Amino acid sequence: MPKAAAKPKARALVVDDEPDILDLVRITLARMGLEAQCVGTLKAARQALAGDRFDICLTDMRLPDGDGTALVRHASTRYPEMPVAMMTAYGNMESAVAAMKAGAFDFVSKPLDLRVLRELTTAALRARGRGGEPADESMGPQAKLIGESPQILELRTLIAKLARNQAPVFISGESGTGKELAASLIHQLGPRADQPFVPVNCGAIPADLVESELFGHRKGSFTGASSDKPGLFQAAQGGTLFLDEIADLPLPMQVKLLRAIQEKSVRPVGAAKEVPVNVRIISASHLNLVDAVARGSFRQDLFYRINVIDLHLPPLRERVGDIPVLVAYLLPRIAAESGSPAASLDQDAMAALRDYAFPGNVRELENILERASALCESPELSLADLRLPEPRQMGAPIASRATSAAPLASPPPATESTLADRLDAIEQQLLAEALHACGQDSQSAAERLGLSPRAFHLHMEMTSNVQPPKRP
């Protein structure tokens, strides 16, 4: 009986003008079962790509006849299925970020850390393997991204592209647009899909515990540290760490996070040595980070590091055509969770939803339908069952969230005060009314305003003369 043909080895193209580096990479890849072809110039690399097929390309940033980023762009255009990783000088993060924006899969710093090189190569080959799979979105993870609008179709395409590389992604969008869902899809469609996806709400962690939660701690490092505890970076080892509401991180913690991302290692609280970590970073915020950088509340260097690729999620009011599709998806799910028959919407109720501004986006739509389904005894939900806010409350998203239970008083009268003073007065009014509507529960008031608890308390401190309105 004839023997089955041996599976051909994966092939790598290595581009560097230093013979020692080429030998080191070739030997490392050979021990992983890869065959490497080594060249020393940009011209030779292009010729090799034109004449042969490679599963991965590793290229230096600086080559005798050009920039490695040019090779990344060339390969992204001509050979999009082949991951290209960049080897760059230690500490040259600007070049690494530029390469990933050009389409590089990931980067490894020189002098080469062979552990990082092996992990990068393994992830790249996994991405290469997934690249040939048919894009059947009807049964895959992207089916969770409900909608048929042009915005959603474009979003699915972008997510599929982002899943193939390891560049940090920053997801922007209003509260309730599905930022964690988008991050989870990027993870599930990428080479790290079989590794952990660890989401963390940065605004929900007390300021004095952020470092311990993210990096871990050693026994006895502070009061209450009765044993060693790994952090969320270690929990996400090999997978993806999703830092939601990253703008709420304190400035001192932003410095340590920047180092952890750049060095791919963390130092647990109380530890003498750093611990290497291999995670992909995806972050998100409903705030405008450009404005936060301008105000000095967010570090510019961290912003550039996490914002290699920006993914914006559109608000629901900009894709009104998706509302019937979302309703058709959500109502049966709500019914299944409650064990009751699925309800439907009458024409007036559907028309009202299409006209509503949805300051809370898809999350608010789900809450409206869940509340209506729970309170209505009829199989068909009417406009009255939805209990939508009055039309005059459908203006700015924050105002709508703040006043769903307490009518908004008239704006402060125009005076000769500055614009900043008038805006402060409006903010004081919104904070007070949110507290009043939530029975002085600051956490509920923060959620009503679309803020994290930490951001809410910060606003309270900045407008310290806010007092809850007297009850009538």
Side-chain angles (χ1 to χ4, degrees):
M1 184 175 179
K3 293 183 179 180
K7 185 178 179 180
K9 289 184 177 181
R11 302 191 71 243
L13 176 64
V14 186
V15 190
D16 201 301
D17 60 335
E18 298 182 48
D20 291 345
I21 295 292
L22 291 176
D23 287 342
L24 179 62
V25 174
R26 179 178 52 77
I27 293 171
T28 301
L29 296 182
R31 289 175 177 172
M32 296 178 66
L34 278 75
E35 178 184 330
Q37 179 175 336
C38 301
V39 297
T41 65
L42 191 60
K43 180 179 179 181
R46 287 175 173 166
Q47 290 174 344
L49 289 172
D52 212 336
R53 180 180 181 276
F54 296 93
D55 298 285
I56 180 177
C57 176
L58 298 167
T59 179
D60 189 23
M61 174 63 70
R62 295 184 178 180
L63 298 168
D65 57 344
D67 192 321
T69 307
L71 182 60
V72 172
R73 295 193 182 96
H74 174 77
S76 298
T77 303
R78 301 285 186 89
Y79 318 99
E81 74 286 352
M82 179 188 67
V84 182
M86 185 69 67
M87 297 182 289
T88 182
Y90 177 82
N92 191 4
M93 291 307 304
E94 294 80 6
S95 298
V97 169
M100 286 191 287
K101 287 186 175 181
F105 173 81
D106 204 347
F107 76 95
V108 58
S109 297
K110 291 182 176 181
L112 295 177
D113 183 327
L114 298 185
R115 175 191 58 83
V116 174
L117 178 61
R118 287 191 293 267
E119 290 173 347
L120 182 153
T121 303
T122 300
L125 292 175
R126 285 177 182 167
R128 165 75 170 172
R130 288 173 177 264
E133 294 178 357
D136 180 7
E137 294 178 359
S138 63
M139 299 300 292
Q142 293 213 61
K144 300 175 184 176
L145 199 59
I146 307 300
E148 300 172 354
S149 63
Q151 296 96 320
I152 290 297
L153 296 179
E154 181 182 3
L155 194 59
R156 290 195 185 112
T157 301
L158 286 173
I159 285 175
K161 289 181 179 178
L162 295 179
R164 293 193 67 246
N165 68 32
Q166 300 300 290
V169 177
F170 175 72
I171 304 175
S172 59
E174 297 176 5
S175 294
T177 50
K179 294 187 286 294
E180 183 172 338
L181 172 60
S184 177
L185 290 177
I186 292 172
H187 171 77
Q188 292 177 52
L189 293 169
R192 298 175 180 264
D194 57 348
Q195 300 298 320
F197 173 78
V198 179
V200 52
N201 188 329
C202 298
I205 306 175
D208 56 344
L209 294 179
V210 174
E211 184 175 3
S212 171
E213 287 295 314
L214 290 181
F215 300 157
H217 63 252
R218 293 289 181 259
K219 178 180 179 180
S221 56
F222 55 86
T223 303
S226 56
S227 62
D228 289 354
K229 177 188 174 183
L232 294 171
F233 266 85
Q234 292 98 316
Q237 178 68 18
T240 302
L241 181 63
F242 174 53
L243 300 173
D244 196 10
E245 298 302 345
I246 193 171
D248 289 330
L249 284 177
L251 281 170
M253 191 61 219
Q254 292 179 26
V255 180
K256 297 178 180 180
L257 175 61
L258 176 63
R259 175 175 174 80
I261 295 174
Q262 291 184 165
E263 306 305 328
K264 298 186 178 181
S265 62
V266 298
R267 186 190 300 274
V269 177
K273 295 182 179 180
E274 292 187 338
V275 178
V277 289
N278 170 30
V279 298
R280 183 180 189 181
I281 299 293
I282 301 178
S283 55
S285 177
H286 75 282
L287 299 177
N288 187 322
L289 284 194
V290 174
D291 291 344
V293 170
R295 292 194 306 269
S297 61
F298 199 83
R299 290 183 62 92
Q300 187 177 48
D301 47 6
L302 179 59
F303 171 71
Y304 286 129
R305 189 65 188 88
I306 64 172
N307 193 38
V308 174
I309 301 174
D310 178 39
L311 181 68
H312 179 70
L313 301 189
L316 186 54
R317 62 182 173 274
E318 292 182 4
R319 52 183 188 102
V320 176
D322 285 335
I323 291 177
V325 182
L326 286 163
V327 170
Y329 169 78
L330 290 170
L331 284 178
R333 195 182 78 174
I334 292 170
E337 291 174 353
S338 63
S340 58
S344 61
L345 258 66
D346 66 22
Q347 292 184 353
D348 290 342
M350 182 63 75
L353 288 180
R354 293 177 67 97
D355 290 338
Y356 182 53
F358 282 106
N361 295 289
V362 178
R363 185 187 298 132
E364 183 181 10
L365 171 62
E366 184 173 5
N367 291 341
I368 289 172
L369 295 176
E370 190 170 357
R371 179 184 61 205
S373 299
L375 298 178
C376 179
E377 298 181 357
S378 168
E380 186 175 62
L381 304 179
S382 67
L383 174 58
D385 295 323
L386 298 182
R387 301 188 181 185
L388 296 176
E390 294 297 323
R392 60 189 173 84
Q393 296 178 344
M394 294 186 186
I398 291 180
S400 180
R401 282 194 292 267
T403 59
S404 58
L408 182 63
S410 301
T415 66
E416 294 183 359
S417 61
T418 65
L419 176 61
D421 291 337
R422 296 183 63 192
L423 291 175
D424 284 344
I426 294 172
E427 183 177 7
Q428 291 172 8
Q429 179 181 326
L430 291 175
L431 291 167
E433 289 177 353
L435 280 170
H436 173 68
C438 297
Q440 310 307 312
D441 184 342
S442 61
Q443 183 167 351
S444 298
E447 292 178 358
R448 181 177 291 272
L449 291 169
L451 299 171
S452 68
R454 183 181 301 152
F456 181 83
H457 287 297
L458 178 61
H459 283 282
M460 288 288 292
E461 291 174 3
M462 294 173 64
T463 56
S464 56
N465 59 333
V466 173
Q467 297 293 331
K470 295 181 179 178
R471 297 183 182 274

